[in-house]
């Protein structure tokens, strides 16, 4: 029998957790997060935000990190960061992340979690860091040199997961190396200093990877994204400007018709109808009719979310209370974990 690859192993582990989640949600503690570099878009929403809300509502203990220190991994400015943080929080709450159930916090406000970086860095070798494929890809995409922070951010991510004793991390396949590294760090810490950490698992999902309007990965920098925060008019304009092709009859064919197919997928995730059914219905109506249908589908789905978002953005006192509360709680948890780490390392001196 062929030996399982590390992906097969991670997949099996993830499948077993999915089965157990229904029965014992209370056993699980989820951590995930986003870099506050701009507005969250429909790719984020259908790819991960919706899934977080489901886990939250199933009774899993959930933690969501606004990863502000990760903004400077692959760029050298923190321009607009405060605005991005508050808007990210508004996006979270508007889509249904409930601060009475989910701890929402920022990196920069939790010094004890960041302090774990020091012992953790001692547990990994330079070679292990150098061969992380995600770090390499991010470096190439950014066009920047490999900074010390970019090289070591997977270790920082281990601090995020382990300070709050997260045991499940929803990830795409490309983030699995980070989870592997976190497992290695937890294991080595326990071996060297005593049992403090559980090895977390990546939770792989079959959530829809919604492409951008041109069929490429949805990204603000490609101009192919629809932000959750857009108005219906901005949404209509963005969809109207998207590239289709010169064939009138609408068919679903992602390989040969990336623009038309991405539009169909966008309508499909918003309406719950299969792409092919929508394509057949529009048929000879052409891309004009397709775009009209997509615009209506998106605007209808996001209307309540956007309305709630507007209300939230009008109440920044509330938003800042939510973040302060989350940060306070995260600090308590991080201080407890750091204390355990200090104890294990014999650094809780009593002179
Ligand atoms: N890397 C994630 C992103 O690029 C954000 C993040 C920071 C994260 N720390 C994490 C995700 C820990 C999962 C676990 O948006």
């Amino acid at each position: 029998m062929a030996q399982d690859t590390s992906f097969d192993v991670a997949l099996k582990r993830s499948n077993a957790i999915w089965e157990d989640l229904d029965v014992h949600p209370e056993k699980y503690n989820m951590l995930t997060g986003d870099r506050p570099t701009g507005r969250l878009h429909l790719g984020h929403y259908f790819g991960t935000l919706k899934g977080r809300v489901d886990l939250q509502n199933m009774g899993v203990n959930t933690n969501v990190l606004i990863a502000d220190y990760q903004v400077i991994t692959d760029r050298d400015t923190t321009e607009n960061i405060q605005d991005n943080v508050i808007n990210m929080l508004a996006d979270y709450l508007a889509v249904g992340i409930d601060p009475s159930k989910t701890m929402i916090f920022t990196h920069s406000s939790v010094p004890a979690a960041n302090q774990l970086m020091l012992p953790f860095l001692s547990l990994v070798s330079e070679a292990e860091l150098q061969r992380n494929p995600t770090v390499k890809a991010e470096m190439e995409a950014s066009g920047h040199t490999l900074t010390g922070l970019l090289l070591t951010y997977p270790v920082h991510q281990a601090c995020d997961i382990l300070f709050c004793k997260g045991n499940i991390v929803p990830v795409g396949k490309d983030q699995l190396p980070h989870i592997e590294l976190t497992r290695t760090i937890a294991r080595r810490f326990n071996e060297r200093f005593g049992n403090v950490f559980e090895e977390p698992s990546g939770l792989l999902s079959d959530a829809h990877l919604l492409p951008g309007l041109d069929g490429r990965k949805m990204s603000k920098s490609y101009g192919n994204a629809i932000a959750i925060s857009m108005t219906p008019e901005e949404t209509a304009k963005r969809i109207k400007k998207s590239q289709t092709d010169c064939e009138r009859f609408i068919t679903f064919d992602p390989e040969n018709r990336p623009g038309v197919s991405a539009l169909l997928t966008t309508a499909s995730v918003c309406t719950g109808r299969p792409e092919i059914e929508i394509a057949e219905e529009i048929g000879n109506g052409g891309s004009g009719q397709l775009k009209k249908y997509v615009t209506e589908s998106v605007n209808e789905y996001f209307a309540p979310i956007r309305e709630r978002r507007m209300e939230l953005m009008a109440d920044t006192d509330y938003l800042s209370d939510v973040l302060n509360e989350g940060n306070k709680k995260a600090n308590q948890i991080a201080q407890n974990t750091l204390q355990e780490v200090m104890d294990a390392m014999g650094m809780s001196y009593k002179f």
Side-chain angles (χ1 to χ4, degrees):
M1 207 172 79
Q3 219 188 331
D4 276 359
T5 63
S6 63
F7 175 70
D8 294 331
V9 175
L11 182 62
K12 275 191 194 152
R13 209 185 287 128
S14 167
N15 287 340
I17 292 173
W18 275 118
E19 273 181 34
D20 194 41
L21 268 170
D22 274 334
V23 199
H24 291 298
E26 75 290 344
K27 281 199 332 212
Y28 295 96
N29 189 16
M30 178 212 83
L31 176 113
T32 187
D34 306 279
R35 298 176 192 190
T37 53
R39 301 296 166 267
L40 293 173
H41 53 57
L42 269 57
H44 297 116
Y45 179 80
F46 289 104
T48 156
L49 298 171
K50 212 163 163 266
R52 293 178 199 175
V53 175
D54 292 342
L55 290 172
Q56 165 195 278
N57 295 341
M58 279 167 81
V60 171
N61 187 49
T62 40
N63 308 282
V64 176
L65 163 64
I66 301 180
D68 52 3
Y69 268 136
Q70 263 193 26
V71 168
I72 46 172
T73 49
D74 64 350
R75 60 190 76 203
D76 37 42
T77 168
T78 52
E79 215 179 0
N80 302 322
I81 191 145
Q82 172 162 326
D83 192 47
N84 289 344
V85 167
I86 207 75
N87 271 282
M88 183 161 275
L89 181 61
D91 282 334
Y92 285 166
L93 303 187
V95 302
I97 295 180
D98 174 352
S100 72
K101 296 183 179 143
T102 296
M103 179 171 89
I104 308 171
F105 62 102
T106 50
H107 268 148
S108 56
S109 306
V110 193
N114 293 306
Q115 200 175 325
L116 294 175
M117 189 76 173
L118 282 164
F120 285 4
L121 279 170
S122 77
L123 300 168
V124 294
S125 70
E126 191 213 340
E128 282 170 320
L129 296 172
Q130 290 281 4
R131 62 171 176 257
N132 182 308
T134 312
V135 168
K136 274 191 204 153
E138 280 182 66
M139 182 195 77
E140 277 155 22
S142 75
H144 283 51
T145 54
L146 182 63
T147 64
L149 184 63
L150 182 52
L151 179 67
T152 56
Y153 95 80
V155 182
H156 195 234
Q157 204 151 298
C159 302
D160 300 337
I161 299 167
L162 296 178
F163 95 82
C164 65
K165 310 274 175 88
N167 59 7
I168 50 172
V169 185
V171 283
K173 210 176 154 178
D174 63 322
Q175 293 271 313
L176 274 176
H178 296 351
I179 305 299
E180 276 316 310
L181 186 72
T182 305
R183 295 173 64 84
T184 302
I185 289 172
R187 188 167 58 244
R188 287 185 189 156
F189 186 93
N190 293 345
E191 281 164 8
R192 283 190 203 176
F193 302 111
N195 210 17
V196 173
F197 298 111
E198 182 183 346
E199 289 179 40
S201 304
L203 191 63
L204 293 152
S205 82
D206 49 10
H208 233 102
L209 239 203
L210 181 65
L213 292 170
D214 53 4
R216 289 189 293 172
K217 180 178 155 67
M218 188 178 282
S219 164
K220 195 180 131 197
S221 52
Y222 290 160
N224 64 2
I226 303 171
I228 297 169
S229 56
M230 280 181 176
T231 62
E233 295 72 33
E234 286 165 338
T235 304
K237 209 165 139 194
R238 173 62 49 101
I239 292 170
K240 200 164 174 197
K241 276 207 311 218
S242 72
Q243 279 280 337
T244 48
D245 51 47
C246 45
E247 200 175 320
R248 181 166 182 90
F249 196 80
I250 298 302
T251 51
F252 183 61
D253 180 358
E255 196 129 312
N256 300 309
R257 306 188 70 186
V260 165
S261 302
L263 285 169
L264 285 165
T265 300
T266 306
S268 166
V269 292
C270 291
T271 57
R273 301 177 62 197
E275 283 104 340
I276 294 176
E277 187 185 304
I278 302 170
E280 278 168 3
E281 186 174 278
I282 293 178
N284 249 327
S287 62
Q289 203 168 311
L290 173 61
K291 287 181 176 181
K292 187 163 169 282
Y293 183 74
V294 177
T295 304
E296 283 166 8
S297 310
V298 172
N299 285 342
E300 193 177 314
Y301 187 96
F302 284 94
I305 290 174
R306 286 166 166 171
E307 194 184 322
R308 171 131 176 77
R309 199 184 183 287
M310 296 252 285
E311 289 163 14
L312 287 159
M313 283 306 285
D315 192 355
T316 43
D317 284 352
Y318 172 71
L319 291 175
S320 99
D321 284 350
V322 166
L323 199 52
N324 285 332
E325 271 303 303
N327 284 337
K328 203 168 121 196
K329 193 171 164 208
N331 268 296
Q332 282 161 358
I333 296 172
Q335 271 154 16
N336 284 340
T337 303
L338 183 61
Q339 190 59 55
E340 287 178 66
V341 164
M342 293 301 196
D343 290 347
M345 295 176 77
M347 288 180 174
S348 305
Y349 305 123
K350 292 180 196 73
F351 292 117

